[in-house]
Amino acid sequence: MASARQVNIAIIGAGGVGKCFLSQLEWLAARRQNQKLVLTYIATSKKAVYSDSYSPIALDSVVSTLSSSSQAPLALPKLVDYLAASGTKTVLVDNTSSQDIADAYPSFLRRGISIVTPNKKAFSGSYKLWQDIFAAKEEGGALLYHEASCGAGLPVISTIKDLVETGDEVTKIEGVFSGTMSFLFNSFAPTSGAGGGKWSAEVAKAKELGYTEPDPRDDLNGLDVARKLTILARYAGLEVESPTSFPVQSLIPKELESVASGDEFLTRLPEFDAQMEEVKAEAQKEGKVVRFVGSIDVASKQVKVGLEKFDLSHPIAALKGSDNIISFYTKRYGSNPLIIQGAGAGGDVTAMGVTSDLLKVLAQL
Amino acid sequence: MASARQVNIAIIGAGGVGKCFLSQLEWLAARRQNQKLVLTYIATSKKAVYSDSYSPIALDSVVSTLSSSSQAPLALPKLVDYLAASGTKTVLVDNTSSQDIADAYPSFLRRGISIVTPNKKAFSGSYKLWQDIFAAKEEGGALLYHEASCGAGLPVISTIKDLVETGDEVTKIEGVFSGTMSFLFNSFAPTSGAGGGKWSAEVAKAKELGYTEPDPRDDLNGLDVARKLTILARYAGLEVESPTSFPVQSLIPKELESVASGDEFLTRLPEFDAQMEEVKAEAQKEGKVVRFVGSIDVASKQVKVGLEKFDLSHPIAALKGSDNIISFYTKRYGSNPLIIQGAGAGGDVTAMGVTSDLLKVLAQL
């Protein structure tokens, strides 16, 4: 058997998802046949580990090596040069949600550096960035996968790509795209009638359990869902300009948009419980429950994000915990959609999306 | 840009799935950049088209070329030699359900010929064949994909492979794996209470609508589901010897197992309606419905196929039409499984599974 070809890995980000990815990478590298995976760069926003000789960074101790490092991260243009100069096939794993790094994707790709990432920003930013990224990918002969940018480890991006690339026509996509929103509404308006506290109490509970961002407004503004819809709509053929170029319902009361902190927001949120109670009661009157969903209608080019009412028997109403559900209506699948459901957030499952993307890249290098 | 690399395609089978695949291949070949797809062999069980000079067979007229051909198919060992001698990367697309062709996969793979197929037989036959196939694939450096062998175009095989290859542990798989069984039970025991004719009438109706094999016993014996379970169980790590090495409940009454024809079977089936009525009534007494499901419990190494009762709110009970549903319980996903749902049969969606596999192979050639 030929000796193992080397592939260099560079990683930015070592937070919740990043740490889970590192442990999956260690598992993978130990089992990889025919390819030797070598970590040559790792950085957080403050620290980095790398060397001019591209010495392998040991995976089993990388977290402590990184935390005790005194090296600063390379500026992005320098990082591009550093990785491209190695003379070895290289994959950049961007485990951040940084817009700056996303903006630099074209520079990496054009130099033949492949990218795998859960970062939504690159694919849901301006349409120009989207076009630049895919043009640079072609130009550089690089590979690019971002399964975990929508639905974490669920096969959402790969499914829409398979549908479109085999000639199917996506007509509609609908679903619950946020683990936080799923958890909130499954608790606030359960199908089983019983339970369901006041809205503000549910938000506080979700925050306490770690289901929301530090400031819950970052979930409640709907932007995270809008970003995922932007990505899917673009794959479905719509030239969506940005995640703010279509209607997105924010669940932040106007009066609380500019309060100073997430804590102050939570303290004042009970003043607005009556509004959400009314929304819930209105749905109940029709025998329905309210859910926070996103939808894309390809023919009418309509993308929207917000509250909608669903029959108790509807799969969206019947979701549990913080699960996502995404329904693809296509020409081939007809009236019964192709549905993907399951945890759409969490370190391990998000990292799994990144790792399975890495496997796809490795198979092609 | 470099000139397009050529990839040869050989196809066996031009039935329902095969014809849909041909039309998707024509669509794909016209759009493929950087690669020139050349059809160099196509055969049914009776006819074939090929030439010693590997002349391209025009995709837009291939069906009529094939039907008017006077060439006989090459015997499988000759076909291996023919394809391997071309000196060009070649993909064999097996759109049959032939055991003989499946048995020959190792010979193709060992010679570096990649395979994509919806044929279940290769992966659900003897465990020895399974081992031979994957050993030959390694030896020949060939690629092998068979998404459509379970759940047609639904991302079932790719999902279990992604889970396992990124280090997750599959603990349980459960679902409705047969479009025919799904249709039959969704009609026979609907969740909405109303409707649901006699069992024999539902079987006759399903046959009339084209949802069953010509002889419905080929669906009702449960073997098709057992084959799919065998494949998934093996990917989950169980060394399942064959699709008959675990309990499979047949819905063919003993007395009708050996009647001469599917028609005679249907004529006599009403004699046994009371039995199925009893099964249905027993479930109803518990507020449940009966469904034909398969399940794999990895820890206890238990694989089984047969009737089970489900709460009306269970996703398996709520299926519609002839949809499949497959739930993957894993260590990472915890108590809420990763669920894939949608049409699990039909020419176009099955062919889509084959075409998306071909795209994966093409990306690596």
Side-chain angles (χ1 to χ4, degrees):
Chain A
M1 195 161 285
S3 73
R5 291 163 297 139
Q6 180 169 330
V7 176
N8 288 351
I9 311 282
I11 302 174
I12 312 181
V17 172
K19 284 213 176 67
C20 291
F21 172 76
L22 282 170
S23 110
Q24 292 181 19
L25 179 63
E26 189 188 347
W27 184 91
L28 188 73
R31 278 154 192 79
R32 192 77 188 160
Q33 293 174 331
N34 305 328
Q35 267 174 337
K36 192 182 164 202
L37 308 186
V38 174
L39 182 64
T40 56
Y41 181 88
I42 182 163
T44 62
S45 55
K46 299 200 177 93
K47 296 181 170 216
V49 181
Y50 64 96
S51 65
D52 288 344
S53 57
Y54 304 95
S55 307
I57 303 163
L59 283 167
D60 56 358
S61 52
V62 59
V63 175
S64 63
T65 307
L66 184 60
S67 73
S68 63
S69 171
S70 54
Q71 285 179 293
L74 288 168
L76 290 168
K78 294 231 175 223
L79 179 58
V80 174
D81 289 338
Y82 168 77
L83 298 180
S86 76
T88 302
K89 302 258 187 194
T90 301
V91 185
L92 172 68
V93 183
D94 172 18
N95 281 331
T96 74
S97 56
S98 155
Q99 184 68 56
D100 286 346
I101 298 172
D103 288 342
Y105 282 7
S107 313
F108 288 100
L109 294 164
R110 202 171 288 121
R111 298 285 287 277
I113 297 158
S114 294
I115 299 177
V116 299
T117 184
N119 188 347
K120 286 182 273 291
K121 300 273 169 64
F123 313 97
S124 61
S126 74
Y127 193 69
K128 184 175 177 312
L129 177 59
W130 168 274
Q131 289 176 307
D132 284 353
I133 283 172
F134 288 97
K137 170 181 178 289
E138 286 307 306
E139 203 184 310
L143 300 165
L144 171 63
Y145 288 89
H146 57 99
E147 184 58 83
S149 63
C150 182
L154 300 175
V156 175
I157 301 292
S158 55
T159 293
I160 192 167
K161 283 170 77 175
D162 279 349
L163 289 165
V164 171
E165 288 174 2
T166 62
D168 201 355
E169 280 171 41
V170 177
T171 53
K172 194 173 92 174
I173 302 173
E174 180 184 64
V176 172
F177 295 84
S178 153
T180 311
M181 291 292 200
S182 181
F183 181 82
L184 278 173
F185 283 92
N186 298 341
S187 298
F188 175 61
T191 49
S192 53
K198 285 198 193 313
W199 175 246
S200 60
E202 295 293 350
V203 175
K205 186 177 81 183
K207 188 187 169 199
E208 217 175 277
L209 292 171
Y211 283 112
T212 72
E213 297 292 323
D215 184 337
R217 286 176 295 183
D218 291 335
D219 295 297
L220 297 174
N221 63 12
L223 184 60
D224 172 72
V225 176
R227 287 194 177 278
K228 291 167 184 166
L229 271 278
T230 300
I231 300 173
L232 293 177
R234 286 173 176 172
Y235 277 117
L238 299 183
E239 294 188 7
V240 176
E241 185 42 47
S242 82
T244 54
S245 63
F246 52 86
V248 177
Q249 183 178 2
S250 169
L251 298 186
I252 306 171
K254 276 236 163 350
E255 297 86 337
L256 302 186
E257 270 172 4
S258 52
V259 299
S261 70
D263 284 342
E264 189 183 344
F265 169 76
L266 274 179
T267 310
R268 291 195 49 197
L269 192 56
E271 301 168 25
F272 303 87
D273 276 341
Q275 286 177 16
M276 285 298 284
E277 207 58 43
E278 196 177 318
V279 169
K280 178 169 154 180
E282 201 181 286
Q284 274 175 335
K285 246 186 278 173
E286 302 175 36
K288 296 183 176 184
V289 289
V290 67
R291 294 288 182 264
F292 193 83
V293 299
S295 66
I296 299 164
D297 186 282
V298 177
S300 69
K301 300 187 178 182
Q302 219 181 23
V303 184
K304 60 181 177 176
V305 171
L307 292 172
E308 282 185 38
K309 292 173 270 186
F310 292 90
D311 284 330
L312 300 185
S313 66
H314 195 288
I316 285 183
L319 271 194
K320 289 195 173 68
S322 60
D323 277 5
N324 284 190
I325 184 169
I326 295 107
S327 299
F328 296 96
Y329 292 82
T330 80
K331 203 173 154 197
R332 280 187 201 137
Y333 278 90
S335 56
N336 287 3
L338 188 170
I339 301 174
I340 314 271
Q341 183 181 328
D348 257 337
V349 295
T350 305
M352 174 202 150
V354 181
T355 306
S356 64
D357 279 352
L358 177 61
L359 281 167
K360 288 183 181 112
V361 170
L362 291 175
Q364 295 172 62
L365 287 184
Chain B
M1 195 162 285
S3 73
R5 291 162 297 140
Q6 179 168 329
V7 176
N8 288 351
I9 311 281
I11 302 174
I12 312 181
V17 172
K19 285 212 174 67
C20 291
F21 172 76
L22 283 170
S23 110
Q24 293 182 19
L25 179 64
E26 188 188 348
W27 184 92
L28 188 74
R31 277 154 192 80
R32 192 77 188 161
Q33 292 173 332
N34 306 329
Q35 270 174 335
K36 192 179 164 206
L37 307 187
V38 174
L39 182 64
T40 56
Y41 181 88
I42 183 164
T44 61
S45 56
K46 296 195 178 98
K47 295 181 170 218
V49 181
Y50 64 96
S51 65
D52 288 345
S53 57
Y54 304 95
S55 307
I57 303 163
L59 282 167
D60 57 356
S61 52
V62 58
V63 175
S64 62
T65 307
L66 184 60
S67 72
S68 63
S69 171
S70 55
Q71 285 180 293
L74 288 167
L76 290 167
K78 295 230 174 227
L79 179 58
V80 174
D81 290 338
Y82 168 76
L83 297 179
S86 76
T88 302
K89 302 257 186 194
T90 300
V91 185
L92 171 68
V93 183
D94 171 18
N95 281 331
T96 74
S97 56
S98 155
Q99 184 69 56
D100 286 346
I101 298 172
D103 289 341
Y105 283 7
S107 313
F108 287 99
L109 294 164
R110 202 170 289 122
R111 299 285 287 277
I113 298 158
S114 294
I115 298 176
V116 300
T117 184
N119 187 348
K120 285 182 275 289
K121 301 273 168 67
F123 312 98
S124 61
S126 73
Y127 193 69
K128 183 175 179 313
L129 178 58
W130 168 275
Q131 288 176 307
D132 284 353
I133 284 171
F134 288 96
K137 171 181 178 287
E138 286 307 305
E139 201 184 314
L143 301 165
L144 171 64
Y145 289 90
H146 57 100
E147 185 59 83
S149 64
C150 182
L154 301 175
V156 175
I157 301 291
S158 54
T159 294
I160 191 166
K161 282 169 78 174
D162 279 350
L163 289 167
V164 172
E165 288 172 3
T166 62
D168 201 356
E169 279 170 42
V170 177
T171 52
K172 192 172 94 174
I173 302 172
E174 177 185 66
V176 171
F177 294 84
S178 154
T180 311
M181 290 294 200
S182 182
F183 181 83
L184 278 172
F185 282 92
N186 297 341
S187 299
F188 175 63
T191 49
S192 53
K198 284 197 191 317
W199 175 248
S200 60
E202 295 294 351
V203 174
K205 187 177 81 184
K207 191 193 168 192
E208 216 176 281
L209 293 171
Y211 283 112
T212 72
E213 297 291 324
D215 184 338
R217 287 176 295 182
D218 291 336
D219 295 297
L220 297 175
N221 64 12
L223 184 60
D224 172 73
V225 176
R227 286 193 177 279
K228 291 167 183 166
L229 271 278
T230 300
I231 299 172
L232 293 177
R234 285 172 177 175
Y235 277 118
L238 298 183
E239 294 189 6
V240 176
E241 185 43 45
S242 82
T244 55
S245 63
F246 53 84
V248 177
Q249 182 178 5
S250 168
L251 299 186
I252 306 171
K254 277 239 162 349
E255 297 85 338
L256 301 185
E257 269 173 4
S258 52
V259 299
S261 70
D263 286 341
E264 189 184 342
F265 168 76
L266 275 178
T267 310
R268 291 197 47 196
L269 192 55
E271 300 168 26
F272 303 88
D273 277 342
Q275 286 177 16
M276 285 299 282
E277 208 57 44
E278 196 176 316
V279 170
K280 180 170 152 179
E282 201 181 287
Q284 275 174 336
K285 244 184 280 172
E286 302 174 34
K288 298 184 176 185
V289 289
V290 66
R291 294 291 183 263
F292 193 84
V293 299
S295 66
I296 299 165
D297 186 281
V298 177
S300 68
K301 300 187 179 181
Q302 217 181 26
V303 184
K304 60 182 177 175
V305 171
L307 294 172
E308 283 185 37
K309 292 173 269 187
F310 292 90
D311 283 330
L312 300 184
S313 66
H314 194 286
I316 285 183
L319 271 194
K320 288 196 174 66
S322 60
D323 277 4
N324 285 189
I325 184 169
I326 294 106
S327 300
F328 296 96
Y329 292 82
T330 80
K331 202 174 156 194
R332 281 188 200 135
Y333 278 88
S335 56
N336 286 4
L338 188 170
I339 301 175
I340 313 271
Q341 183 180 331
D348 257 338
V349 294
T350 305
M352 175 202 150
V354 181
T355 306
S356 64
D357 279 353
L358 178 60
L359 281 167
K360 289 184 181 110
V361 171
L362 292 175
Q364 296 172 60
L365 287 183

